[in-house]
Amino acid sequence: MSAQPDYIPVTPYAPAPGAPADLLAQLRVDRRASTWVPAFEREWAAALEESGRTFSLAALYEVVQDWQVRLAHAPAVDAFVASGYDDSEFIDMAELRGRYL
């Protein structure tokens, strides 16, 4: 009988050591820098505090990963908004709850 687990544990996403600095540099040159940079810095500071309390880098990794995804998908979001897609006919669930409950 082996003392090894029957499964392979999932390795958490670990960004490159310079990823946070690179990401911040990219955010600073983006047209949304006035809102994105302060938001990133707030989330990073909160993750640093959590990391200090928990001795885990998971929160820091998550912040980097979330912002990398946001930055990567920003052109697609811009294209969608620029397309003039009319989403005014969406269902307002709050309105439905108020009407039928």
Side-chain angles (χ1 to χ4, degrees), residues 11 55 70 92:
T11 305
F55 299 102
R70 285 179 187 148
D92 186 355

Side-chain angles (χ1 to χ4, degrees), residues 23-30 32-44 67:
L23 182 58
L24 187 56
Q26 290 174 2
L27 291 173
R28 285 187 173 138
V29 297
D30 191 272
R32 302 166 195 85
S34 63
T35 55
W36 279 16
V37 170
F40 172 79
E41 290 173 341
R42 278 191 306 273
E43 289 181 25
W44 185 255
W67 280 96

Side-chain angles (χ1 to χ4, degrees), residues 12-15 44 57-66:
Y13 165 78
W44 185 255
L57 298 175
L60 295 170
Y61 292 170
E62 186 178 331
V63 169
V64 170
Q65 187 175 21
D66 287 350

Side-chain angles (χ1 to χ4, degrees), residues 1-16:
M1 188 164 193
S2 173
Q4 298 298 320
D6 292 336
Y7 62 92
I8 299 171
V10 176
T11 305
Y13 165 78

